[in-house]
Amino acid sequence: MSNNPSFPFPEEKTQKIFSKFQLVVQNKSQGNELVDSLRSLLLSYQFSKKKPRLNKEQKTFLINIIKNPNSTSIMKSLSSYILRTTSGYSKGNVLQITLKKSNGEALESLICFLDLWVDGRRLEKKIPQILSWISRDQLLTEQIIPFLTPILSDHPFIFEKKTRDAFEKQFITCLTRASLNSAVITGSFWRQASPIPVTEFDGSKCIDFFTVLNCSQSYTNDQMTNVYTFSLLYSWLQTLYLDPIEKQKQQEEEEEEEGFGNNEDFEKEKQKEKGNIKIIKMNERFCEAILKYCLRTLDQSVTKISTEQSPKEAEVIDSNIQEIVEMESIRILTLICQIDPGQIQKVTSIIKKIYERRKTQKHSLHPFVEIMNFVIINIEQIKYDFQPMINSIFGEKLFDLYYNSLECFDLLEFVLINRELLLENYPSIFSKHFLAFFRILAWNPDEFSLEFLELLPTLIHPGNYLEIFHTLLDLPILSLCLELSLYKDLEKNVDLASFSEILNYILRKESSSNSGSGSGKNNINFWDQNEYLSALQEFLESNKHSPRVISCCKIVPILLQIYFDVLISYASIKEIQELSIIMFNRYFQLFAKQSFLNKVQKLILEKTMSFFAGNPSLIFDLNEQFISTLQSLSPGIDYIGKIDFLISITWIIGEYANKKIEARLNNEIISTFFSSIEVIAFEYLTIVEKSKKNKKGSSKYSMGLNESQFQKQRQSQSQSQTQSQSQSQSQSKFQIEYENKINFENQFLMKRFGNKSETQSLLKQISTEQGKNQTRLLITLILALTKIASRNHSFIQRTLVIISKIMQHSEKYNFLILERAEEAAKLLNNPGIASLLFDMEKSARSQKNSYNISDEKSSLPFLLLENDSQNESFHNFFF
Amino acid sequence: MVVGFLIHSLDETQITYFSYFFSAHLNDEQSTKRQNLIISQVYQNYDKKLQSFDLLQTNIENNYSKQLMEKSVGVGVFRVPESSLFQKPKVVVWKKVLNLCYTLILSPDENRMAAQHFLKFFIQLLNEHFKNNTISSKPKLLLTKPEEVLILIEKTIPNGNLIYANSFVVKNLRTEIEATILNKKKNLKDLETKKGIKK
C-alpha cells in the first residue's frame, strides 16, 4: 500500500483495488496477499466517493474467511468490517448466506453478524440457539453480551418474557459470581504461577464479589463478562422495562386528553392497544442482584486509590472511573425505582448519603446531575429538602462552569427533560437562577443553540420577563465580558476600572428582579445611564468581536422571536404595555453590529405591530411614550433604523388614534399626536427640498445618541407649530442645527463602526436606501395625517397645507408620493367620504392577549400560569 | 450505545481517516453523508472556539485561565436532531488531539462521561500501540496499518458498548490487543511457510 494516499481515492484506483480483490477471491489467496487486498478494500470504502458493492461470490468469500479457524484475527476483523460497512446496502443478504451455512459449523461465524440483522424476526428464531450457547460456554457469553446492545436498540421485541428471563438469569451469574482470582498466567515451563487474588483500589484483597471497580492482574472471561454486563444494564432496563411503562403512560394521557371514555369502539381499541404494550414485572432476583451490585460500586467509588498499586497515570484513570461508575450506578438505581417504585425508600437513603458525601468535595457536576435526576423523578415519595443542593448547583457551581461544555450539556439536557417537574417543584431554578443559563449560552452559542431554543419559554415568567428581554439584547455583550473576565484579572486591571460597573452588572450572578417585587423593574438598563454610556461605547469599541460574539448576534433574533411568541400568547395587557415601553427605549440601544441591529430592530417593530393588533387600547396607554419618542428623534438625521421606526409609529398612530377604537382617547391626545406627526412631515419636506437644492450636501446620518439639548429645542418647536410664523422660524432653526450636527454625527459613526472604509461602505449603503426610505416615510406621514383629519375635521386644513407644499414642488418628489398626496387631497376635500373610509369602528380583534394574570408576583413562568379566558393551565412547551 | 466512531481531521479538508458505525441501519448508502454532516458540525464548533481563543490568548494574563481555555477548545459536545439521516436524535462527543479528532456518536441516553473517558484511554492505547505519543499528528501513518486500528476499536468499544474500564482493564485490553495482532503476524508467517513448502 502506498504510504501517502490521496483523498478521496480516484475512481480508477478503486476499480483497480476491486479487480485485485476479485483475483484474490478467484484464486482463494491466503497470507499477506489476502491481508493486503482486504486492507486496500477497507481503505477504498473509507476514501472512495462511490462505495463499490460486493457480489455474492465476494461476500461468501469474506464469510468463509471469518468461519475458517485458520484465519488470523486480522483477516477476520477486516472481512467483518467490510461486510459490516456494506450491510445496510444488502439488507440481510450476508446473514442469509451465513445462516444457511452455519448449521453445525463454527458458532463464531454467526456471532460476528448478530448486530447486522436488519430483519429482527429471523434473528428471533435463532434466540433459543444463542441462549443454549451462553448457558454452557463462558467464552461465548463474553462474546455475545456486547452484541445485545445493538440488538436491543434495533429489535427490542425479540426479548419476550421467556427470553428475557433466560438472559437475566445469566446476567445474575455474570454480575455476582465472577472469579475472585486473576487469570492464571503460565509461568516458566517447570511450574505454573499461582493465582493472584483480585483486589480493591486501595490494594486490599477483595472479600466481597467482583465488580468493575475491582482490580485483576489478568482478567478471566467471567470477569470481562462482568464488566460487559454492567455496561449493558442501563440500556437493558431502559429498553425492556421503562420504555413500555412510559409508552403506556403517554397513551393514557393522550386518551384522557381526547376524552373518548364513553365511546365503546374507542374502549375496545384501547384494550387492544394495551395488549400491544407488554409491561412485565421485573424479576425480583435480577432486581436484587442489580441493587446489590450498584450499592457495592457506590461504596467502592470512595475507596482511596493506592499509589503503590497504580502508577500516577493509572491513578488518574482510576479516580475518573470511580466517578463515572458512581454516576452510572445512580442512573441504574433511578431506573430501578421508576420500574419498581417499591425500591424508592431504600434507594433514597443511599442517594442522600452520596449527596452528603459529595457536597463537601470538589467534584464535577455529572454525579450531582444524576442525584438531581433521581430526586426530581421521585419527588413525591422523597421527604428530604434538596433546595440547598439546587441553590448550590444553579446559584454557584454553574456560574463557574460555563466553559466546561460537557458538564453544561448534561445539566441542560437534565433541565430540558425534567422541566415540567422542575417548574412545579423548584421554580427558583428558572426564576432566580436564569442568568446562569444565559452565561452558558453566551459562552457556547453554537453548541447549545438547540437546547436554548427549547429552554427559553421555560425561563420567562412574570417576575423576570423585562430582565430577560434586556439580557437577550445584551447577549453579545455578556459574551464579550465573559471573554474579558477570563483573560484579565478584573479587580486588579487598571484598564478595566472604568468599565467595572458595567462588567459587574453584566456578569452579575443574582437576578435584579429578585431584589424587588413585580416584573423586574429594578433591573438597570445601563444604556439609560449617562455615566455608564460613554464607558460602554468605549468598551465596545476597544474590543474586537470574536466569532463567539458574532454567533451570539446570530442567535439573539431567533430567541427574541420565541420570547415575543410567549409574551404575545400569555402576557397581560399591563405586561405588554411595560414591555412596549422598554422596546421603544432599547430600539436604538443595541450592540453595534449592523446585521444584528437590523434584525433586532425589524423584529421589535414587527412585534410592536402585533401587540397593537391584539390590544388596540395600547394607543392610550402608550400615548405619552409615543409623543415623547417622536419629539426626541433628531430630525433629518438617520440613525440606523430610525425611518423604519418612524414609519411604524406613525402608521400605528394613524391607524389606532380613533375614539371609536379606544374611548379613553380625548381631543387633547389626538391633537398632540397630529402635531407631532405634522412637525415630522414638515421636517422631512425640508430635508427633501434641501437635498435637491444642494446635491453635494454632506452626509446626514447619525447614531443619534446624547441628544438631550436637541430634544429641548424640538419640544419648544412643537409647541409653536400651530402658528405658521413660528413654523418657518423653527424650520430655519432646524436647518442650522442640522448643518452643525453633520460633522459630529459622522465622527460618531466613525468611532462606533471602527475603520474608515467600514464607515464609508456603511454610509454608501445607507445612502442608496435613503431615497426609498424617505418615500416610504412621507407616504406614511401623509396617510396618518389624512386618517386623523378624516376623523377630526378641524385638522383637515393643516393636512392640506402640507399636501399643497408637496404639490407646489412636485418636481422634487417621487411620483408615488405625489399620487398619495393627490389622493389624500381629494379625500379631504370630501370629508364625508374620508370619514366613511377612515372613521370606522374596528371589530374587536383577537382577545386572547387580554386575559389577566392574577398574581403578578408569581414565580411561575407564563407557561404555567392559569389562563382564565382559555382555560389552559399548561403550555405545550414548544414554539 | 455508541452508534458511530469517527477519526478525522479538523481542518478545512475534513478528511475521515476512519469511520465505524455499529448499527446495520447506519451502514447504508447514506453513511458517507452522515459522517460528513457530523464532521462538518464538529469542525464548525471547533473552528469558532479556536478563533475566539486565538483572538484572546495573546492577552491572557492568567495562566490558569489559559489552561482552562485551551482545554475547553479541544473538546465538545452537541445534539444532532432527528432528520432523514438520523431517525432518532443523537449526541456527539468529540476530542481533538494534535491533527486528529476522535468523535463518538451516541444515543441520547448514553453515559457521556463514560464516552469522554473512553476517548482518553483509546488515544492512550493508540499512542502506546504505535509507540508514538504524537501519532495523532501523523494520521497517514495510521493508514499504513488500518487493521490494527480496527482491532483497537473492536476491543475497546465492542459492538458499541462503552466499557467502564479502570486502569487494570485498560492494561488487560492492551495485552489482548497486542496478542491479537502478534497472533496475526505469527499466523501469517505460518501460512507463508506452509505455502512455501507446498510450492
Side-chain angles (χ1 to χ4, degrees):
Chain A
M1 204 207 94
S2 160
N3 279 348
N4 190 17
S6 56
F7 309 109
F9 276 12
E11 210 176 321
E12 308 85 66
K13 189 169 178 178
T14 311
Q15 289 293 341
K16 209 173 156 188
I17 290 169
F18 257 74
S19 313
K20 203 175 161 191
F21 177 62
Q22 185 55 35
L23 269 178
V24 167
V25 173
Q26 280 165 1
N27 300 336
K28 296 194 172 131
S29 308
Q30 289 293 316
N32 277 332
E33 197 184 343
L34 172 63
V35 172
D36 283 345
S37 179
L38 290 175
R39 187 189 289 135
S40 303
L41 206 57
L42 176 148
L43 291 173
S44 79
Y45 275 109
Q46 290 294 330
F47 300 115
S48 300
K49 271 190 175 172
K50 202 178 167 188
K51 311 275 181 208
R53 283 168 186 258
L54 295 171
N55 61 34
K56 197 177 170 184
E57 188 190 8
Q58 289 164 337
K59 279 179 195 167
T60 313
F61 178 75
L62 290 173
I63 289 165
N64 287 336
I65 293 174
I66 295 166
K67 290 199 295 190
N68 185 351
N70 291 326
S71 302
T72 63
S73 305
I74 289 284
M75 285 175 189
K76 288 179 184 176
S77 279
L78 284 167
S79 305
S80 152
Y81 177 82
I82 293 161
L83 284 168
R84 187 181 300 272
T85 310
T86 58
S87 61
Y89 296 52
S90 47
K91 303 280 174 203
N93 286 347
V94 174
L95 306 162
Q96 282 162 21
I97 299 167
T98 321
L99 261 183
K100 276 182 196 166
K101 303 200 170 182
S102 67
N103 295 336
E105 291 185 35
L107 297 172
E108 221 181 291
S109 62
L110 183 58
I111 297 170
C112 286
F113 300 108
L114 277 180
D115 60 332
L116 297 185
W117 292 69
V118 178
D119 181 358
R121 291 288 168 203
R122 277 174 171 274
L123 179 61
E124 197 176 7
K125 287 178 191 161
K126 284 281 157 191
I127 288 292
Q129 195 180 346
I130 295 170
L131 280 169
S132 74
W133 298 339
I134 64 169
S135 59
R136 67 166 193 261
D137 190 327
Q138 192 58 52
L139 185 62
L140 279 172
T141 311
E142 185 191 334
Q143 288 174 10
I144 286 170
I145 284 181
F147 280 102
L148 294 178
T149 304
I151 298 173
L152 266 176
S153 158
D154 290 343
H155 318 292
F157 62 87
I158 285 176
F159 300 93
E160 289 294 337
K161 189 175 181 323
K162 204 177 153 192
T163 313
R164 188 183 310 203
D165 284 347
F167 272 113
E168 285 173 0
K169 198 177 160 194
Q170 196 63 32
F171 293 160
I172 296 171
T173 314
C174 297
L175 286 172
T176 55
R177 289 193 198 158
S179 167
L180 287 177
N181 286 317
S182 303
V184 177
I185 308 161
T186 42
S188 49
F189 65 91
W190 64 85
R191 76 178 176 88
Q192 201 173 354
S194 56
I196 304 167
V198 163
T199 60
E200 302 291 342
F201 274 140
D202 61 5
S204 65
K205 191 180 164 187
C206 169
I207 47 169
D208 212 328
F209 61 94
F210 180 90
T211 75
V212 284
L213 290 182
N214 280 112
C215 317
S216 177
Q217 290 304 326
S218 173
Y219 279 71
T220 58
N221 290 332
D222 61 356
Q223 285 164 356
M224 275 318 283
T225 313
N226 180 290
V227 174
Y228 292 144
T229 310
F230 182 67
S231 296
L232 172 77
L233 278 182
Y234 188 89
S235 48
W236 182 270
L237 296 174
Q238 171 80 41
T239 316
L240 300 181
Y241 292 97
L242 195 64
D243 284 351
I245 292 173
E246 290 193 334
K247 212 171 167 184
Q248 194 190 33
K249 272 186 194 168
Q250 201 184 339
Q251 217 171 63
E252 281 170 2
E253 277 171 16
E254 280 169 16
E255 284 163 11
E256 272 177 32
E257 273 173 29
E258 285 167 12
F260 291 140
N262 295 329
N263 187 327
E264 271 183 34
D265 291 340
F266 180 73
E267 282 297 316
K268 278 181 195 168
E269 191 65 28
K270 206 166 109 179
Q271 291 304 325
K272 202 177 153 188
E273 277 177 12
K274 272 189 179 169
N276 289 339
I277 303 170
K278 286 172 188 165
I279 297 173
I280 299 169
K281 212 178 160 225
M282 203 169 161
N283 177 321
E284 269 179 39
R285 280 194 58 225
F286 182 48
C287 182
E288 267 172 35
I290 298 173
L291 281 172
K292 197 172 149 192
Y293 193 95
C294 290
L295 294 186
R296 176 148 160 72
T297 54
L298 288 172
D299 281 341
Q300 287 175 304
S301 65
V302 282
T303 308
K304 207 174 168 197
I305 298 163
S306 152
T307 42
E308 280 173 30
Q309 192 171 250
S310 312
K312 208 175 174 186
E313 211 171 66
E315 198 189 331
V316 178
I317 294 185
D318 291 338
S319 64
N320 265 347
I321 202 70
Q322 277 184 314
E323 201 171 332
I324 296 166
V325 169
E326 181 185 68
M327 183 181 163
E328 184 67 5
S329 297
I330 301 172
R331 267 158 49 92
I332 293 170
L333 289 175
T334 308
L335 276 185
I336 295 263
C337 290
Q338 283 176 278
I339 298 161
D340 179 5
Q343 304 294 340
I344 295 176
Q345 289 311 323
K346 191 178 176 185
V347 175
T348 305
S349 60
I350 300 157
I351 299 285
K352 275 183 202 168
K353 271 185 204 163
I354 300 166
Y355 171 59
E356 294 298 330
R357 193 169 77 197
R358 282 286 185 210
K359 74 176 180 186
T360 50
Q361 298 165 359
K362 204 178 175 185
H363 276 286
S364 72
L365 268 184
H366 299 288
F368 287 110
V369 171
E370 292 313 325
I371 293 174
M372 283 193 293
N373 194 41
F374 173 80
V375 170
I376 203 71
I377 287 173
N378 302 300
I379 190 79
E380 282 174 20
Q381 286 84 5
I382 298 175
K383 286 169 189 156
Y384 184 78
D385 183 16
F386 278 94
Q387 190 64 47
M389 175 174 71
I390 299 284
N391 291 344
S392 135
I393 290 169
F394 290 92
E396 292 164 32
K397 284 182 194 281
L398 195 54
F399 274 99
D400 301 323
L401 283 167
Y402 57 91
Y403 54 83
N404 189 326
S405 51
L406 276 158
E407 292 188 31
C408 290
F409 183 80
D410 263 11
L411 196 92
L412 283 176
E413 287 289 306
F414 158 74
V415 170
L416 282 173
I417 292 168
N418 299 297
R419 64 192 142 175
E420 289 187 42
L421 283 169
L422 288 170
L423 278 168
E424 284 170 28
N425 297 289
Y426 296 106
S428 65
I429 290 176
F430 306 103
S431 60
K432 201 173 165 188
H433 305 301
F434 64 91
L435 289 170
F437 294 108
F438 278 98
R439 202 179 262 228
I440 295 175
L441 177 69
W443 191 257
N444 308 284
D446 294 300
E447 278 167 301
F448 300 149
S449 55
L450 280 179
E451 283 70 19
F452 223 80
L453 295 179
E454 275 184 51
L455 183 65
L456 185 63
T458 323
L459 299 179
I460 309 165
H461 70 97
N464 69 3
Y465 70 101
L466 292 181
E467 193 176 355
I468 285 194
F469 183 66
H470 286 300
T471 313
L472 272 174
L473 295 183
D474 295 331
L475 194 71
I477 302 176
L478 173 60
S479 181
L480 200 63
C481 290
L482 285 175
E483 288 182 341
L484 207 63
S485 68
L486 249 186
Y487 71 75
K488 290 202 194 292
D489 194 338
L490 295 182
E491 285 171 14
K492 292 178 191 165
N493 199 300
V494 188
D495 299 342
L496 296 174
S498 53
F499 311 133
S500 61
E501 285 202 55
I502 292 175
L503 278 168
N504 288 339
Y505 181 71
I506 291 176
L507 297 175
R508 71 196 181 281
K509 290 185 178 177
E510 200 174 329
S511 150
S512 50
S513 312
N514 294 320
S515 51
S517 61
S519 53
K521 286 170 212 160
N522 298 312
N523 67 78
I524 308 163
N525 175 13
F526 53 79
W527 295 82
D528 276 342
Q529 316 288 317
N530 283 335
E531 68 268 30
Y532 293 150
L533 197 63
S534 56
L536 174 70
Q537 295 295 344
E538 206 181 315
F539 170 70
L540 296 177
E541 283 153 21
S542 60
N543 288 286
K544 281 185 185 172
H545 302 158
S546 69
R548 182 177 285 119
V549 176
I550 307 293
S551 293
C552 282
C553 289
K554 284 180 186 163
I555 195 175
V556 168
I558 305 167
L559 290 169
L560 267 180
Q561 180 72 47
I562 294 173
Y563 173 85
F564 284 125
D565 284 347
V566 173
L567 268 286
I568 286 174
S569 305
Y570 293 93
S572 68
I573 294 180
K574 197 182 164 205
E575 282 144 357
I576 294 286
Q577 202 180 317
E578 282 175 355
L579 177 64
S580 304
I581 296 171
I582 303 289
M583 281 160 71
F584 281 179
N585 290 342
R586 290 301 312 261
Y587 184 83
F588 294 112
Q589 299 171 340
L590 294 168
F591 183 68
K593 169 103 185 127
Q594 208 197 338
S595 57
F596 173 75
L597 270 171
N598 291 345
K599 282 183 184 164
V600 173
Q601 286 181 333
K602 195 179 165 200
L603 200 63
I604 288 179
L605 292 181
E606 268 176 23
K607 297 304 166 186
T608 305
M609 297 287 197
S610 306
F611 287 168
F612 272 87
N615 308 286
S617 63
L618 278 174
I619 192 74
F620 174 79
D621 301 322
L622 299 180
N623 76 80
E624 285 173 19
Q625 186 70 21
F626 266 33
I627 291 161
S628 67
T629 310
L630 284 175
Q631 288 174 353
S632 70
L633 294 172
S634 277
I637 300 160
D638 291 342
Y639 334 137
I640 290 185
K642 181 190 158 187
I643 289 196
D644 286 328
F645 185 71
L646 274 176
I647 290 173
S648 302
I649 291 193
T650 314
W651 186 87
I652 288 170
I653 292 174
E655 189 72 5
Y656 298 105
N658 184 351
K659 283 183 194 169
K660 287 180 183 168
I661 289 176
E662 176 51 51
R664 288 178 295 168
L665 287 174
N666 55 35
N667 288 339
E668 197 187 337
I669 295 172
I670 293 180
S671 170
T672 322
F673 276 148
F674 185 87
S675 301
S676 307
I677 298 176
E678 189 185 34
V679 172
I680 293 170
F682 272 119
E683 285 166 357
Y684 273 89
L685 295 185
T686 315
I687 291 171
V688 174
E689 284 170 22
K690 188 175 164 50
S691 67
K692 300 282 170 181
K693 275 182 203 161
N694 180 16
K695 280 195 175 177
K696 278 185 175 177
S698 37
S699 183
K700 36 192 175 312
Y701 310 103
S702 162
M703 301 317 298
L705 299 166
N706 295 332
E707 292 178 83
S708 52
Q709 292 172 340
F710 207 64
Q711 208 173 311
K712 283 177 191 168
Q713 288 159 356
R714 286 293 313 282
Q715 279 166 0
S716 62
Q717 178 191 347
S718 162
Q719 283 162 8
S720 60
Q721 199 65 46
T722 46
Q723 296 167 8
S724 59
Q725 203 181 357
S726 63
Q727 220 175 64
S728 59
Q729 277 173 5
S730 70
Q731 279 174 37
S732 58
K733 216 179 191 181
F734 154 69
Q735 282 172 17
I736 299 159
E737 282 163 353
Y738 162 72
E739 296 285 346
N740 289 341
K741 283 206 77 166
I742 288 163
N743 288 333
F744 166 77
E745 300 298 344
N746 276 336
Q747 279 167 15
F748 196 89
L749 202 66
M750 275 287 290
K751 249 184 152 187
R752 194 159 187 200
F753 284 92
N755 65 48
K756 202 175 172 182
S757 63
E758 206 178 332
T759 309
Q760 290 299 335
S761 85
L762 185 70
L763 285 173
K764 202 177 168 187
Q765 200 185 327
I766 295 171
S767 176
T768 42
E769 288 295 312
Q770 186 211 13
K772 283 183 199 168
N773 285 342
Q774 280 184 351
T775 305
R776 282 169 57 224
L777 177 63
L778 278 172
I779 289 173
T780 318
L781 287 168
I782 295 166
L783 197 65
L785 290 170
T786 311
K787 282 177 183 174
I788 298 173
S790 68
R791 292 171 202 139
N792 190 333
H793 296 176
S794 63
F795 297 127
I796 289 181
Q797 277 313 311
R798 285 164 68 181
T799 309
L800 287 172
V801 168
I802 292 173
I803 292 172
S804 65
K805 202 168 161 41
I806 294 171
M807 303 310 269
Q808 277 165 20
H809 305 281
S810 58
E811 72 286 354
K812 292 176 181 170
Y813 294 98
N814 185 302
F815 76 98
L816 290 169
I817 298 172
L818 296 174
E819 268 182 19
R820 291 282 165 232
E822 206 176 328
E823 273 171 23
K826 279 180 189 166
L827 269 175
L828 291 177
N829 283 325
N830 295 287
I833 298 174
S835 300
L836 214 73
L837 274 175
F838 296 122
D839 195 15
M840 299 190 300
E841 193 172 342
K842 292 255 161 119
S843 62
R845 300 196 196 191
S846 166
Q847 291 298 311
K848 69 174 181 176
N849 304 321
S850 60
Y851 73 89
N852 288 314
I853 289 169
S854 52
D855 180 7
E856 283 164 9
K857 289 177 188 171
S858 169
S859 62
L860 289 181
F862 284 106
L863 315 182
L864 282 186
L865 288 166
E866 287 282 334
N867 179 344
D868 294 334
S869 60
Q870 294 179 358
N871 208 18
E872 283 175 8
S873 56
F874 267 83
H875 184 265
N876 65 8
F877 292 91
F878 295 103
F879 275 91
Chain B
M1 174 192 174
V2 179
V3 296
F5 180 46
L6 309 170
I7 303 176
H8 55 94
S9 69
L10 211 46
D11 50 27
E12 281 165 5
T13 58
Q14 295 178 28
I15 297 168
T16 317
Y17 291 101
F18 224 93
S19 72
Y20 202 121
F21 286 103
F22 295 93
S23 162
H25 297 291
L26 299 178
N27 282 310
D28 57 8
E29 287 94 339
Q30 305 281 333
S31 61
T32 311
K33 269 191 190 173
R34 214 168 270 131
Q35 76 190 29
N36 290 347
L37 172 90
I38 300 289
I39 292 170
S40 92
Q41 209 163 331
V42 172
Y43 172 66
Q44 278 175 28
N45 284 357
Y46 167 73
D47 193 44
K48 281 189 184 164
K49 278 184 175 190
L50 183 72
Q51 283 182 39
S52 300
F53 177 67
D54 284 347
L55 201 72
L56 298 172
Q57 69 162 334
T58 46
N59 297 320
I60 298 181
E61 292 161 359
N62 184 334
N63 263 343
Y64 177 68
S65 296
K66 196 166 185 169
Q67 280 172 8
L68 281 182
M69 293 269 283
E70 267 169 351
K71 261 189 185 177
S72 80
V73 169
V75 290
V77 58
F78 59 88
R79 187 161 35 133
V80 182
E82 214 175 282
S83 67
S84 56
L85 290 177
F86 290 100
Q87 285 177 353
K88 289 176 189 169
K90 299 282 177 269
V91 170
V92 171
V93 176
W94 58 270
K95 183 179 172 70
K96 183 191 179 274
V97 181
L98 300 169
N99 297 346
L100 280 183
C101 184
Y102 300 85
T103 299
L104 285 171
I105 309 165
L106 311 168
S107 54
D109 57 2
E110 187 52 274
N111 185 329
R112 291 178 279 271
M113 208 176 163
Q116 206 184 5
H117 176 71
F118 159 78
L119 289 176
K120 276 184 201 160
F121 79 74
F122 177 82
I123 294 162
Q124 186 189 325
L125 284 175
L126 195 72
N127 288 343
E128 284 170 5
H129 177 72
F130 283 90
K131 295 183 178 62
N132 185 344
N133 278 341
T134 56
I135 188 71
S136 299
S137 67
K138 299 155 192 156
K140 286 179 183 174
L141 202 64
L142 286 180
L143 295 181
T144 58
K145 294 172 182 172
E147 66 279 10
E148 293 182 9
V149 182
L150 194 65
I151 296 271
L152 244 107
I153 295 173
E154 284 174 352
K155 294 283 178 195
T156 50
I157 351 174
N159 304 92
N161 283 273
L162 282 175
I163 305 174
Y164 293 85
N166 61 33
S167 63
F168 290 82
V169 175
V170 173
K171 195 175 127 194
N172 202 66
L173 286 170
R174 188 185 296 133
T175 316
E176 214 177 299
I177 290 162
E178 297 310 321
T180 310
I181 292 165
L182 276 177
N183 174 255
K184 153 241 168 177
K185 286 176 183 161
K186 188 177 163 284
N187 279 5
L188 272 180
K189 259 187 187 172
D190 290 350
L191 278 169
E192 292 295 316
T193 322
K194 276 181 195 171
K195 226 171 144 186
I197 292 166
K198 271 186 185 175
K199 276 178 189 174

